[in-house]
Amino acid sequence: MSGLIVYGGLGWLGDRFLGTAFLLPLGLIVGMLLALYVIIRRYHHDPGDQPKK
């Protein structure tokens, strides 16, 4: 959720100050993709990996 809020908020601010209409959707998409990347990177493991001690 924080990725959507932060990057969506940045997109919204950019749209307000620049008078555009594409930065909010772009920020929401980028935030969602980065959040998914972090989740996948954190919880992905290969079956042959040894547990970390």
Side-chain angles (χ1 to χ4, degrees):
M1 288 296 295
S2 63
L4 287 172
I5 293 169
V6 170
Y7 287 100
L10 289 174
W12 178 78
L13 286 174
D15 279 341
R16 291 219 8 138
F17 288 117
L18 299 174
T20 59
F22 68 91
L23 293 176
L24 174 60
L26 182 65
L28 290 172
I29 292 169
V30 168
M32 180 181 61
L33 291 175
L34 286 175
L36 287 172
Y37 170 75
V38 169
I39 291 168
I40 290 170
R41 181 166 170 116
R42 179 174 175 124
Y43 293 107
H44 175 73
H45 66 281
D46 290 327
D49 287 346
Q50 296 295 327
K52 295 180 181 178
K53 294 181 180 184

